[in-house]
Amino acid sequence: MALKSSGTTCAVRGCTYNRTKLNNWLKSECFDHKPKKKGECSCPKWYSFHRLPIDDDEKKRSWLKNLNLKYPPKCCYVCSFHFVDKAPTEENPNPTLYLGYEMPPERKRQRVVRMSVDNSEVEVATTDQAVMVFEPRTFKDTQTQWMDPAVEDHTYSKGSIIVPHMTITPTPEISLSIAEDTLKGDKDCLLYTGIPLLVFTTLVSCLQGFAPQSSTMPAQDQVLLTLMKLRHNFVAADLARRFKRSASQVSKTVTHWVDVLAEHTKDLIPWLPCDTIKATMPKVFLQHFSDLTCIIDCTESVLQKAKNLDSRSESYSHYYASNTVKYLVAIAPSGMIMFISEAFGGKCSDRYITQNSGFLDCLRPGDVVMGDRGFTIRDLVEERRVRLVIPAFTRKDSQLTNEQVTQMRRIANVRIHVERAIRRLKVYKILSQTVPISLVPKMDKILQICAALVNLRGDLISSK
């Protein structure tokens, strides 16, 4: 069965009034003039249709501009609900009501008013909201030559322009960048970036030349935006509102600066030579672990659950009962992070990560490494003539000796500092909160940046 056409239809977006509805209304009974129908009584019509003016090109363009249709129909009709006077009139000839979108505000045209002040002619350009005053023109003679002070050089030194009941003084606009307005001191800088203000300004000055030329945002704002993403893990919409940019621009900025920061902060995670380690050794280590090279530990960050079942199984951690990424952290006795591995799946063991992260390549014969019981890597480090210090194990039903208990307490007393370093690392909520799947390809670089920023923060262990 073929569907009947509704006939003439209003061309405005979202408007459903058509000729069929109007005819059905005209055929219905009028309650005021029974038993007459509405088409036969004197009641005004519910609505009427008005065709696009074809003969007048200016009116036609005005109609089409207001309708804002991508593909206007060949026979364009607009119902009376969209006209101020219910029909096109001389005062309101165009449809302006309920057009299905927000119309931009109309620009007010300036009206130039000439007035005389102190026997000189002054031009005043006025609108409904503003008044602009021009300097008086002083004519030189009756010929066509005249002087206009408005086009003279150095007119800015002439002060304000005074007209009766009106004074306009030019004042320079000073606009601060968002970084300058947000970071007032070390307290604010540590809150938003995790590093002191002096370190932040130094970092920005070093990376100034790597800002993309296509962006209109200052380099310091772009660096601040990226560090705020790492520090607080704000969503893109939140950062877009704070920095008055679109969410796509925020994502592009973060992606660009993560690459730049990772490239230029890798030198801030150095493997210290033995002489430097001994020279910066805190007193808490000197009595029992004066030859210690580093303390190692593995930590995990919760990962957003992947849709792929293989990826989900590889990243599942039984310890956290969730999908995680796992990485190795090694610190010097002074508290500086000397090594941070790339991100592995939460399913990987401590031994596997130590063996495949490149950590063993940093060790030299005679080094001493301290770890937890989970690091069953004694055979791996002894091949390199490196000594491993871990707490003692209990064998079956046997108990620890007094010497073993004392040694275990001494190890726990100094091994706590690697936990403090990891806690400082997870001040960056990108690591302590759930890591989104979209950032997994950048996870290795994010780990490196966060470790470098932790090293820039200052001493972890007091030398006293």
Side-chain angles (χ1 to χ4, degrees):
M1 179 180 177
L3 296 175
K4 292 184 178 180
S5 173
S6 60
T8 304
T9 303
C10 181
V12 175
R13 297 182 191 178
C15 186
T16 59
Y17 292 119
N18 52 45
R19 183 69 66 181
T20 300
K21 290 183 179 180
L22 181 61
N23 292 337
N24 292 337
W25 181 85
L26 292 173
K27 293 176 183 178
S28 62
E29 185 179 1
C30 180
F31 294 99
D32 297 331
H33 305 88
K34 290 182 180 181
K36 292 184 178 180
K37 297 181 179 180
K38 291 183 179 178
E40 300 172 354
C41 66
S42 58
C43 293
K45 283 187 178 182
W46 183 17
Y47 58 88
S48 59
F49 288 98
H50 305 279
R51 189 171 183 178
L52 175 74
I54 302 175
D55 300 334
D56 194 335
D57 291 339
E58 185 176 355
K59 289 184 179 180
K60 180 180 178 181
R61 284 194 297 268
S62 299
W63 273 48
L64 293 176
K65 180 181 178 182
N66 285 13
L67 294 177
N68 196 18
L69 299 174
K70 189 174 182 179
Y71 300 106
K74 292 182 179 179
C75 297
C76 184
Y77 290 90
V78 178
C79 67
S80 57
F81 285 114
H82 306 289
F83 294 91
V84 176
D85 301 322
K86 302 302 180 182
T89 59
E90 293 184 1
E91 295 181 357
N92 301 293
N94 303 321
T96 56
L97 302 178
Y98 319 115
L99 298 179
Y101 67 95
E102 294 184 0
M103 294 184 62
E106 297 183 0
R107 289 187 176 183
K108 302 295 182 179
R109 293 186 177 182
Q110 296 180 357
R111 293 180 290 105
V112 179
V113 179
R114 298 182 181 274
M115 54 187 298
S116 59
V117 178
D118 297 335
N119 298 326
S120 61
E121 186 178 354
V122 177
E123 290 184 359
V124 181
T126 64
T127 62
D128 293 344
Q129 299 178 349
V131 178
M132 291 178 290
V133 182
F134 302 96
E135 286 280 351
R137 295 181 178 179
T138 306
F139 291 90
K140 220 174 177 185
D141 51 22
T142 55
Q143 298 179 358
T144 58
Q145 296 179 354
W146 51 275
M147 283 183 4
D148 187 0
V151 297
E152 291 182 3
D153 293 336
H154 309 293
T155 56
Y156 52 81
S157 62
K158 295 187 177 181
S160 60
I161 306 168
I162 300 176
V163 178
H165 308 293
M166 189 185 310
T167 303
I168 302 176
T169 305
T171 56
E173 294 184 359
I174 302 174
S175 59
L176 296 175
S177 66
I178 296 176
E180 293 175 349
D181 190 43
T182 304
L183 307 179
K184 300 296 185 181
D186 285 345
K187 188 175 180 180
D188 294 334
C189 199
L190 286 170
L191 173 64
Y192 290 109
T193 66
I195 54 178
L197 182 58
L198 180 60
V199 176
F200 174 77
T201 54
T202 305
L203 182 66
V204 171
S205 62
C206 294
L207 302 176
Q208 191 87 25
F210 298 96
Q213 297 180 355
S214 58
S215 178
T216 58
M217 193 188 308
Q220 56 185 348
D221 287 357
Q222 297 181 43
V223 176
L224 176 62
L225 185 150
T226 306
L227 295 185
M228 286 176 66
K229 174 64 178 177
L230 301 180
R231 175 68 176 82
H232 290 282
N233 197 19
F234 290 131
V235 295
D238 189 358
L239 291 171
R241 177 173 293 184
R242 291 171 183 266
F243 288 85
K244 301 177 182 179
R245 293 292 187 275
S246 64
S248 61
Q249 286 177 320
V250 168
S251 300
K252 291 179 182 178
T253 302
V254 172
T255 302
H256 171 78
W257 281 102
V258 165
D259 295 337
V260 173
L261 287 169
E263 178 66 25
H264 294 88
T265 57
K266 58 185 178 182
D267 294 334
L268 298 175
I269 313 173
W271 187 268
L272 300 178
C274 294
D275 296 339
T276 306
I277 293 174
K278 292 180 180 179
T280 58
M281 182 89 60
K283 291 183 179 180
V284 68
F285 290 89
L286 292 176
Q287 186 175 359
H288 303 290
F289 304 101
S290 58
D291 55 350
L292 186 64
T293 303
C294 64
I295 310 173
I296 61 174
D297 195 11
C298 282
T299 185
E300 301 179 55
S301 297
V302 179
L303 180 66
Q304 183 183 355
K305 188 178 292 186
K307 294 182 180 179
N308 187 290
L309 295 180
D310 294 334
S311 301
R312 191 184 299 181
S313 63
E314 290 176 1
S315 61
Y316 186 80
S317 170
H318 292 280
Y319 184 78
Y320 278 82
S322 180
N323 296 90
T324 63
V325 290
K326 194 173 183 179
Y327 41 94
L328 173 70
V329 179
I331 68 165
S334 61
M336 173 177 281
I337 298 178
M338 296 199 302
F339 179 86
I340 187 165
S341 71
E342 58 188 32
F344 291 82
K347 188 178 180 180
C348 299
S349 63
D350 295 349
R351 177 186 174 90
Y352 179 85
I353 295 176
T354 306
Q355 191 173 6
N356 294 276
S357 62
F359 168 73
L360 297 176
D361 298 332
C362 299
L363 299 176
R364 297 292 178 265
D367 287 347
V368 179
V369 178
M370 180 180 289
D372 195 10
R373 286 194 182 96
F375 286 93
T376 55
I377 57 171
R378 190 176 296 278
D379 57 329
L380 299 177
V381 297
E382 285 181 353
E383 292 176 357
R384 302 171 183 269
R385 291 181 290 173
V386 175
R387 185 161 63 93
L388 179 66
V389 178
I390 59 174
F393 290 90
T394 55
R395 302 294 180 182
K396 294 183 180 179
D397 296 333
S398 62
Q399 295 183 350
L400 297 176
T401 63
N402 292 335
E403 291 79 6
Q404 289 176 333
V405 172
T406 303
Q407 180 68 4
M408 186 173 62
R409 289 176 178 173
R410 289 171 180 171
I411 292 173
N413 187 38
V414 295
R415 209 188 68 82
I416 190 65
H417 295 300
V418 72
E419 303 288 349
R420 294 178 59 212
I422 291 173
R423 184 176 63 182
R424 184 177 280 191
L425 187 67
K426 289 194 175 181
V427 162
Y428 293 91
K429 293 184 179 179
I430 194 73
L431 302 179
S432 59
Q433 295 180 350
T434 302
V435 179
I437 289 291
S438 59
L439 288 180
V440 170
K442 300 284 184 182
M443 197 61 199
D444 296 341
K445 295 181 179 180
I446 289 173
L447 288 172
Q448 180 185 317
I449 295 169
C450 293
L453 295 175
V454 168
N455 286 341
L456 288 175
R457 185 170 175 179
D459 295 336
L460 176 68
I461 305 173
S462 176
S463 60
K464 296 182 181 180

